[in-house]
Amino acid sequence: METHKQLTIGLFGFGVVGEGLYKVLQQTPSLKANIKKICIKNYEKKRNAPASLFTTDKNELLNDRDINVIVEVIDDADAAFDIVTTALTNGKDVVSASKKMIAEHLPALLELQEKTGQSLLYEAAACASIPVIRNLEEYYDNDLLHSIKAIVNGSTNFILTKIFEEGLDFKQALILAQQLGFAESNPKLDVEGYDAVNKWAFLLTHAYGIIESPENILFNGIQNVHAADATVAKEKVQAIKLVAQAQKLKNGGVAAFVLPQFVKQDDHLAFVKNEYNGVVIESGFADKQFFYGKGAGSFPTASAVLSDIAALRYHYRYEYKKLYHHKPHQLNNNVFLKIFVSFDDISFIPRERFEWIEEWHAQEERKYLIGVISFDELKQNNWWKENNTSLILTTDPVIEDIEVKSLKKRSLELAGIL
Amino acid sequence: METHKQLTIGLFGFGVVGEGLYKVLQQTPSLKANIKKICIKNYEKKRNAPASLFTTDKNELLNDRDINVIVEVIDDADAAFDIVTTALTNGKDVVSASKKMIAEHLPALLELQEKTGQSLLYEAAACASIPVIRNLEEYYDNDLLHSIKAIVNGSTNFILTKIFEEGLDFKQALILAQQLGFAESNPKLDVEGYDAVNKWAFLLTHAYGIIESPENILFNGIQNVHAADATVAKEKVQAIKLVAQAQKLKNGGVAAFVLPQFVKQDDHLAFVKNEYNGVVIESGFADKQFFYGKGAGSFPTASAVLSDIAALRYHYRYEYKKLYHHKPHQLNNNVFLKIFVSFDDISFIPRERFEWIEEWHAQEERKYLIGVISFDELKQNNWWKENNTSLILTTDPVIEDIEVKSLKKRSLELAGIL
């Protein structure tokens, strides 16, 4: 019987997550994990732990040969990268919750893991309490994962839920989210989709072996979602969600993006409300699976960090199977999306760039159209983010380039044009 | 960097799961797992694999020193127990899908795992594609798991869904389930709850460290659920599901049972339809989590077996943390349930054994009552399984003994009796 590694932890950060983690570890002697030292920025603050545990000198942790695990739950992505790389280089395993740092530095972190043989785990960085990374690593073979759709940002989901279910306008909902601690005081990262696309960048690595920096992934947030869009959605008995999506194409590539989407009432993602997250995975073998849980907050995050610490006891490391053991997939932009666009003035909308337009509502105060457009057009141009324009993906599936001609013909026939 | 174990597999069983597994392993060289020999009962059948792989002699696998993993996907629980115990004793790790065998022999299997130091994994035995065992082991500390409610039997859930959504009667729905391969030709094990309580027995071990044989756990199936019960449920905008439930009590014990339940429309379990399974976990840290996926069928089962095989590569074994590293919980029967009982004739119902009765519908052709009864009464007597009586748990939470007096007083006051 294999003996378990005794874990001696150096903890960076003692905010709500760090302190929560400290408490749980104290209550869980069975984990055989104890915190030897905690590095904080501000030594003056009153802390609920013995003063002797604290230091402001990171090297006291990073150079301590007794410490074999560094847990990093700080807010500063650059400092986190420095800590994580030094720790790995110094022969320590690392648990991190910094999604931004991981998304931005994944290639370097992969290289360092290979070089040092140390383990870097970061389940808390995406969907917090939902064990999405571990499940993607362990349960889905590359060839079998057809698609993955997820709500990975709790703040925006909370705001959208309040708009839909309680009729709040965007600003009221945002203020409520901030009051309840579901949105940062500077909500731009959440609301404009940066947080979601950061998470999506490294989830794509675990799902498909794709390595892509967040800025190369098509994304938008919910900042332009309009009250009138919600009205349209309600008429169709649909909701609007900020959805991160990836899908294997017939040509072998993967289409991936983060966009607001209309979601049918019986869609699994419609079930995900308020600050919760959800992940829907379709695969050849396991078929459709749905994981649901709290995606943010101190305790759900601490629980994910704890599960990573527990995994280090039996030497667990991400294998990045889809990247190293298979032929990794590539992002492919040869697809078309059927989108809803609402706007104040038609002159803002480059109608000629659509493949075809299926609906046209010009009478309403807030005008809108539904049309099919190429993915590249959206990636290369920004008209749809400007002039108070709102773009929302319809419930129609992604259209592959081999399908678009026949679909266009059929659509024009139905409209009586052909 | 740790090297991964090279797995040489001896496979017992080449039905739909076994053959599915064989195909996947062939397509997944990265797993470094190859099947050396397959033991089958009937040598005459045509097989989609080289004849040289097959044998009918179990010892060719169990005594082969090259084979370090035995995978067992056969239907016969007694034969499975013999295979699994011999394999562990012979120093092999084992993957099993036999829920009945595991439920009935868990104490012996635990002892053998301890003694031999070998790993026995059986994710496929409960909820197939949903990684419920692994998540219970890794993600929930004992003191934090408040409750777990689950739909663990796909056949009964399929039947109930068809009754509710398509108005089929029980027999029609059962025949349809059989035609679609979701129910055995002898459906008694599924329909009467034996399969569900078997799974529940060992899930209780992973959730709470409870070791209890299935026959000591209160359970019932859906065999007596009546069309009129569905009508009552629909009037209340509720569904009826066969739910396995466990809940930590204020006295430190755990109440656990498998019973048909009314489920509100916004309950996570109402979302689980047809042959799917679902698990709702409430915990102190991660809060509410919901896992959903296919709970049966050859491919979902093969995918779970595959994930166990993958885990053996890095020497994974269940730690049974709640059992060995914590003070294990005990089942506690000092609770009361608010139940719905429908019946043809009042003389079948021992009204005096209820703590109190809240509703009484004697005018209907199919009569029913709603009342509060002690858990022990249900465990010790069988009147509620006889005479075409139907018992369904209401949506009210389990009542602890410390609450029952005040609840009774309040209830009688409301009824104008006190």
Side-chain angles (χ1 to χ4, degrees), chain A residues 149 236 238 245 260-263 337-341 369-371 391-398:
Chain A
K149 287 171 94 166
K236 300 182 183 195
Q238 294 175 355
Q245 178 168 347
Q261 293 193 14
F262 289 99
V263 168
L337 301 179
K338 191 188 282 188
I339 57 174
F340 162 103
V341 182
L369 64 81
I370 291 174
L391 180 151
I392 302 171
L393 195 65
T394 64
T395 59
D396 279 41
V398 167

Side-chain angles (χ1 to χ4, degrees), chain A residues 138-139 285-286, chain B residues 7 9-13 16-22 24-25 31 33 35 69-74 94-98 121-131 134 297-313 318:
Chain A
E138 302 307 327
Y139 285 86
F285 269 36
Chain B
L7 305 181
I9 295 172
L11 173 64
F12 283 86
V16 280
V17 177
E19 187 175 337
L21 186 67
Y22 170 76
V24 190
L25 284 174
L31 260 184
I35 296 179
V69 176
I70 293 292
V71 176
E72 169 282 295
V73 288
I74 64 175
V94 177
V95 177
S96 167
S98 296
L121 303 180
Y122 42 84
E123 189 66 78
C127 302
S129 70
I130 307 176
R134 199 89 68 88
S298 60
F299 279 165
T301 306
S303 84
V305 170
L306 189 68
S307 77
D308 281 345
I309 293 174
L312 287 178
R313 289 180 60 218
Y318 300 142

Side-chain angles (χ1 to χ4, degrees), chain B residues 107-317:
Chain B
L109 294 170
L110 286 170
E111 206 186 308
L112 207 52
Q113 285 176 81
E114 279 236 272
K115 197 177 121 191
T116 62
Q118 299 303 131
S119 177
L120 167 63
L121 303 180
Y122 42 84
E123 189 66 78
C127 302
S129 70
I130 307 176
V132 58
I133 297 176
R134 199 89 68 88
N135 280 296
L136 283 173
E137 274 289 319
E138 301 308 327
Y139 284 88
Y140 303 96
D141 186 77
N142 196 27
D143 296 322
L144 304 169
L145 192 62
H146 298 325
S147 73
I148 165 167
K149 287 171 94 166
I151 292 171
V152 297
N153 181 274
S155 312
T156 48
N157 202 54
F158 180 87
I159 291 167
L160 289 170
T161 305
K162 291 299 162 191
I163 291 172
F164 267 77
E165 301 211 336
E166 294 173 25
L168 302 191
D169 68 24
F170 183 86
K171 274 192 186 150
Q172 291 170 321
L174 173 58
I175 290 167
L176 184 60
Q178 288 174 323
Q179 285 169 343
L180 293 173
F182 300 140
E184 308 290 331
S185 48
N186 172 7
K188 189 179 148 83
L189 281 180
D190 289 325
V191 167
E192 300 188 9
Y194 293 97
D195 177 80
V197 77
N198 278 337
K199 292 167 180 165
W200 208 231
F202 59 83
L203 288 178
L204 286 174
T205 309
H206 292 283
Y208 289 108
I210 290 167
I211 300 204
E212 195 65 73
S213 70
E215 61 260 37
N216 288 331
I217 298 170
L218 176 68
F219 78 99
N220 199 11
I222 62 166
Q223 67 276 15
N224 289 337
V225 172
H226 199 279
D229 305 341
T231 308
V232 172
K234 277 182 188 168
E235 280 165 8
K236 300 182 182 193
V237 202
Q238 294 175 354
I240 296 173
K241 299 282 182 189
L242 183 61
V243 179
Q245 179 168 346
Q247 180 175 330
K248 231 162 83 174
L249 303 174
K250 295 193 182 82
N251 66 21
V254 169
F257 48 84
V258 177
L259 289 173
Q261 293 193 14
F262 290 100
V263 167
K264 289 181 192 161
Q265 208 179 15
D266 63 352
D267 190 298
H268 297 48
L269 294 180
F271 186 87
V272 181
K273 293 181 178 173
N274 294 314
E275 74 274 25
Y276 282 85
N277 282 188
V279 183
V280 179
I281 291 169
E282 287 201 65
S283 69
F285 269 38
D287 205 89
K288 199 172 243 188
Q289 290 196 282
F290 176 44
F291 298 88
Y292 165 96
K294 282 216 170 147
S298 60
F299 279 165
T301 306
S303 84
V305 170
L306 189 68
S307 77
D308 281 345
I309 293 174
L312 287 178
R313 289 180 60 218
Y314 57 87
H315 312 277
Y316 181 73
R317 43 182 291 141

Side-chain angles (χ1 to χ4, degrees), chain B residues 398-410:
Chain B
V398 167
I399 302 167
E400 303 203 28
D401 53 354
I402 48 175
E403 301 163 329
V404 74
K405 271 192 193 158
S406 64
L407 273 170
K408 179 174 188 174
K409 184 160 173 284
R410 177 90 186 114

Side-chain angles (χ1 to χ4, degrees), chain A residues 322-381:
Chain A
K322 325 298 167 68
L323 181 65
Y324 294 134
H325 301 171
H326 295 267
K327 188 165 175 287
H329 282 88
Q330 302 292 328
L331 284 188
N332 186 298
N333 297 342
N334 291 326
V335 295
F336 298 81
L337 301 179
K338 191 188 282 188
I339 57 174
F340 162 103
V341 182
S342 77
F343 48 88
D344 296 328
D345 185 336
I346 183 66
S347 68
F348 299 143
I349 308 299
R351 278 168 296 173
E352 69 287 358
R353 295 192 188 167
F354 281 76
E355 300 301 310
W356 71 92
I357 286 173
E358 293 197 352
E359 285 187 41
W360 184 257
H361 301 257
Q363 309 310 316
E364 287 79 356
E365 202 191 311
R366 175 77 174 177
K367 298 159 189 60
Y368 72 91
L369 64 81
I370 291 174
V372 171
I373 198 160
S374 81
F375 194 83
D376 273 332
E377 166 63 27
L378 297 180
K379 264 201 97 180
Q380 284 156 22
N381 297 294

Side-chain angles (χ1 to χ4, degrees), chain A residues 189-206:
Chain A
L189 281 180
D190 288 324
V191 167
E192 299 188 9
Y194 292 98
D195 176 79
V197 77
N198 278 337
K199 293 167 180 166
W200 207 231
F202 59 83
L203 287 178
L204 285 173
T205 309
H206 292 282

